[in-house]
Amino acid sequence: MSGRQPLLHDLAIALCAPTVVLSGQDGQLRGDGTQGVLHGDLRVLSEAVVTVDGREPEPIGTAEPTAGRGDFTGLLRHLGDPGPDPTVWLRRHRTVTATGMTEEIELVSTAGDARRCTVELTAAADFAPIELIKDGGSREAVAPEPAGGDAVRWSCGGVTSTLRAGGAAVTVRPPRAVARWTVDLPPASSVRLGWEVTASDPEALFVHGDAVRLGAPRVQADDRRFTSLLRRSLTDLEALLLAELDHPEDVFVGAGAPWYLTLFGRDSIWAARLLLPVSVRLAAGTLRTLARAQGTAFDAATGEAPGKIMHERRRGGFELTGMSLPALYYGTVDATALWVCLLHDAWRWGLPEDEVRALLPNLRAALEWITEHSDTDGDGFAEYLDESGRGLANQGWKDSGDAVRFADGSQARPPVALAEVQGYQYEAALKGAALLTAFGEDPGGLDAWAGDLARRFRERFWVGTKEAGYPALALDGDKAAVDAPTSNMGHLLGTGLVDTAESERIGARLLGGDLAAGFGLRTMSNAAGGYSALSYHCGSVWPHDTAIVVRGLADAGQPERAAELGMQLVRAAGSFGDRLPELFAGYGSEETPVPVPYPASCRPQAWSAAAAVALLSAFLGLRADVPAGTVTLAPPRPSPVGALRVSGLPLAGGTLDVAVDRDGTVTEMRLPPGLRPA
């Protein structure tokens, strides 16, 4: 293994979880890097190359009209009429399903005479696991076996991949199979051929989450860049939905394709939280799925602890250079508090009381982990330390090994207490107390615990002068404040851990050009010693990170700043075909006219796609409290996207319709029965 993950930025990607197809822009699947059909973290088809008379079509066009579709056009000039204009071409119409892929091959001729040609599809399968691919490794292709007529199959470890090519002559040439069609193409005509690949996996963990459909509100805005981003994001999110095989009704969002198309605690929670305005059912499924795997014992090898919410779950161990994660891994310091916050927020958005009540035992267990077990060294703050020596060295959302740095670029020594985690835990304590009280249970001393945390945080985390200070990224193992200015401070907004004056200082600091540089929020200031525009966590832009800060700014009473930062993402989105990737380079708009890709970034990525819904909420100033019967609408002034009209937004068994004019004034509002304006 090389230890260098393959690049993704120039690939065509189509998916219907748990299947994802990655190809070149010409439509060919060559088995290089990540290319292939992946199903449940296994590459069930590594090669699918189409030729006509032994020649590959010359690519001229690629389109990704929906999350699960790909269309590719290539010229067949050797078959055409003499002259400069192409008269024969080939189009591949690809559709991804939850169990594989179908493809229609269309040959089109405007030539004056009939043509005869031979179309061949050469295919192979290596069943490489996703972690081997991500680590730059490779595996020998598996020998194919005839499956009768126009079919061939490959098998490995109980997983079977079957290719059918209707009407073709299929031959086996280990390690490949070849499907051949002889085509007579009349003048001014088209001929269509078809093939498909289907995966069968009896040991699959997850199936496509088709028991839940996200709300699809009708959104109109003067700035059509925003509506285009929102539409694409919602279709991508539908394609990322998963559910456990034994609990198909509990749907969650797989974190991202191709590396993380599975259940992740933090990612799935944040995605569900940002998506509450379009689906409470998704939040319910996410909460219950994670609750079933909630920790019950202490285990240093997996990071498990009683009450703790897991980090990720895969079909087997995840082996990368220098790291070995078990199939069920709990190495996250923040997912537990975020689970509590999601439960509370889902209740506020209308999750039925009986479903909330059923999760109260899990809530109490999570709160006990927060208040009793998350502070491993007794300093009053939650921190993490990889006791196994083979897990994640950093266990916040910035989990790369070099993510936690001082302003001079030096790396922090563990155990590390991250700033945003203290904010999440403060918020979880107060929201957990509110839930328990609302359901007639004693919250104990959660309010007092949160108050003590706020006092300690104020004493230890703030760095710089009173006028220009900001919260440090973290405290390191020596309890020194890790003073690099980073986006992490923005996650404190709206948690309650910082007061109004402190929130104002944080908001002003974040909107400075060293962090908010034109296309979103940099993860680290470009004035810091460890900054690099192409660092995974030390200078890149993560759309979900920006969206969380936009949400926090809106909740902290800074709607204009929220709008300004949110529009930076809107401006960036078009460069990625409105499919915001996991992250992109941190170059500012003064350095480059368009955002630069981070080449190994997942796309689509659940919380990146969910960012579009977070922007919609911020641009409306939307908050809901269904138990109290109120809805708040407080748009920024002026509206950042001009006149904005939203209809059919699901809420409390009905829908919300609202219109906002260019000045940011709510001109129309229709609420479901039983709700009133706050």
Side-chain angles (χ1 to χ4, degrees):
M1 291 186 291
S2 70
R4 292 184 178 178
Q5 60 183 331
L7 307 185
L8 303 172
H9 67 287
D10 57 349
L11 298 186
I13 301 177
L15 78 158
C16 179
T19 304
V20 58
V21 179
L22 303 99
S23 75
Q25 292 290 323
D26 58 359
Q28 306 282 37
L29 283 70
R30 302 182 187 279
D32 297 332
T34 320
Q35 291 191 30
V37 179
L38 286 86
H39 176 79
D41 275 356
L42 290 176
R43 184 158 58 190
V44 297
L45 196 70
S46 53
E47 185 177 329
V49 175
V50 172
T51 59
V52 179
D53 297 331
R55 309 182 190 192
E56 292 193 31
E58 299 174 81
I60 61 168
T62 302
E64 296 173 299
T66 67
R69 284 275 311 282
D71 292 315
F72 309 91
T73 302
L75 302 180
L76 301 172
R77 290 194 287 176
H78 73 284
L79 287 175
D81 289 341
D85 293 338
T87 57
V88 182
W89 54 89
L90 180 146
R91 302 188 70 195
R92 297 172 73 167
H93 305 286
R94 177 173 298 160
T95 301
V96 182
T97 70
T99 57
M101 179 185 80
T102 64
E103 192 168 276
E104 181 183 74
I105 301 173
E106 180 186 13
L107 289 98
V108 181
S109 173
T110 60
D113 299 318
R115 300 288 192 270
R116 168 170 282 195
C117 61
T118 299
V119 178
E120 287 189 346
L121 168 68
T122 302
D126 63 1
F127 294 91
I130 191 66
E131 65 270 20
L132 178 65
I133 298 169
K134 191 176 193 299
D135 218 23
S138 61
R139 175 177 284 184
E140 292 293 326
V142 174
E145 300 174 353
D150 53 14
V152 65
R153 73 167 58 94
W154 296 264
S155 299
C156 181
V159 180
T160 300
S161 177
T162 303
L163 186 149
R164 292 181 175 84
V170 177
T171 58
V172 171
R173 300 176 185 172
R176 294 174 175 84
V178 178
R180 180 184 294 106
W181 296 265
T182 300
V183 177
D184 289 311
L185 189 60
S189 67
S190 64
V191 172
R192 296 171 185 259
L193 314 171
W195 67 278
E196 66 177 6
V197 61
T198 305
S200 174
D201 183 5
E203 302 299 321
L205 292 176
F206 305 118
V207 295
H208 186 63
D210 55 10
V212 166
R213 295 299 302 266
L214 302 180
R218 295 176 296 281
V219 180
Q220 298 171 289
D222 287 345
D223 193 330
R224 295 185 180 180
R225 295 175 302 175
F226 173 61
T227 54
S228 180
L229 167 62
L230 186 62
R231 274 195 305 272
R232 183 60 197 240
S233 297
L234 288 172
T235 60
D236 278 346
L237 285 159
E238 289 276 3
L240 286 165
L241 297 179
L242 288 168
E244 291 179 314
L245 182 64
D246 295 334
H247 299 276
E249 71 286 353
D250 285 340
V251 176
F252 61 90
V253 185
W259 313 130
Y260 310 121
L261 197 53
T262 186
L263 175 64
F264 272 74
R266 177 192 308 115
D267 301 54
S268 298
I269 290 169
W270 261 125
R273 202 174 179 196
L274 297 176
L275 292 171
L276 279 168
V278 295
S279 180
V280 173
R281 302 312 313 157
L282 178 66
T286 304
L287 288 162
R288 286 194 288 263
T289 301
L290 291 169
R292 285 192 287 271
Q294 190 172 27
T296 59
F298 292 101
D299 186 340
T302 65
E304 182 182 0
K308 195 176 184 183
I309 297 298
M310 50 149 280
H311 175 59
E312 67 182 279
R313 184 183 175 200
R314 296 188 183 266
R315 66 186 301 132
F318 196 71
E319 304 282 341
L320 296 176
T321 301
M323 184 172 67
S324 176
L325 305 183
L328 180 57
Y329 182 53
Y330 290 81
T332 169
V333 73
D334 53 11
T336 306
L338 291 170
W339 186 93
V340 174
C341 294
L342 176 60
L343 178 61
H344 173 274
D345 292 357
W347 170 62
R348 292 281 294 267
W349 276 91
L351 184 63
E353 288 192 1
D354 60 332
E355 296 185 44
V356 178
R357 192 178 298 279
L359 290 168
L360 292 184
N362 304 95
L363 170 64
R364 283 204 170 275
L367 290 168
E368 184 174 352
W369 181 83
I370 290 169
T371 58
E372 300 296 330
H373 303 306
S374 64
D375 177 11
T376 59
D377 62 6
D379 68 342
F381 299 110
E383 58 266 307
Y384 57 82
L385 177 67
D386 173 36
E387 296 182 63
S388 73
R390 293 285 294 166
L392 291 169
N394 285 315
Q395 298 184 1
W397 84 261
K398 295 179 180 178
D399 58 4
S400 53
D402 63 350
V404 184
R405 292 174 177 264
F406 289 86
D408 65 4
S410 60
Q411 294 187 34
R413 191 177 65 82
V416 171
L418 293 168
E420 76 273 18
V421 172
Q422 317 315 313
Y424 300 158
Q425 298 220 132
Y426 179 92
E427 184 180 8
L430 293 187
K431 287 185 170 180
L435 269 174
L436 291 170
T437 300
F439 283 80
E441 297 195 14
D442 181 9
L446 287 171
D447 288 352
W449 184 91
D452 288 342
L453 174 59
R455 174 185 52 79
R456 291 191 300 271
F457 184 88
R458 196 162 281 116
E459 292 172 352
R460 299 297 305 278
F461 270 81
W462 283 83
V463 297
T465 65
K466 182 176 182 181
E467 294 75 19
Y470 56 90
L473 164 60
L475 300 182
D476 75 350
D478 297 321
K479 308 308 171 187
V482 183
D483 57 349
T486 64
S487 62
N488 299 58
M489 70 178 88
H491 290 228
L492 298 170
L493 297 171
T495 64
L497 184 61
V498 290
D499 62 27
T500 302
E502 292 165 339
S503 294
E504 175 68 23
R505 286 158 61 190
I506 292 172
R509 184 70 186 82
L510 289 166
L511 269 292
D514 62 323
L515 283 167
F519 299 128
L521 191 64
R522 287 180 176 132
T523 45
M524 178 180 285
S525 164
N526 67 350
Y531 168 80
S532 168
L534 283 167
S535 165
Y536 196 56
H537 286 129
C538 298
S540 56
V541 174
W542 288 62
H544 91 281
D545 182 35
T546 298
I548 289 169
V549 175
V550 168
R551 177 181 181 272
L553 286 165
D555 288 347
Q558 302 177 52
E560 285 71 33
R561 283 184 176 137
E564 180 183 347
L565 185 58
M567 287 305 294
Q568 293 196 16
L569 271 189
V570 173
R571 286 193 291 273
S575 296
F576 300 104
D578 293 320
R579 176 178 269 182
L580 283 170
E582 177 189 7
L583 71 155
F584 51 90
Y587 297 113
S589 56
E590 293 185 357
E591 300 173 272
T592 175
V594 295
V596 175
Y598 180 88
S601 178
C602 287
R603 69 181 199 283
Q605 183 85 350
W607 55 11
S608 293
V613 177
L615 297 187
L616 176 64
S617 297
F619 294 165
L620 292 173
L622 174 63
R623 299 176 190 82
D625 189 347
V626 173
T630 63
V631 174
T632 299
L633 286 164
R637 292 177 175 271
S639 169
V641 292
L644 175 62
R645 179 179 293 274
V646 181
S647 56
L649 198 68
L651 182 62
T655 59
L656 168 67
D657 302 332
V658 60
V660 177
D661 66 17
R662 293 184 179 185
D663 294 331
T665 301
V666 177
T667 58
E668 298 177 32
M669 179 168 58
R670 285 184 291 275
L671 296 173
L675 296 181
R676 65 185 186 281

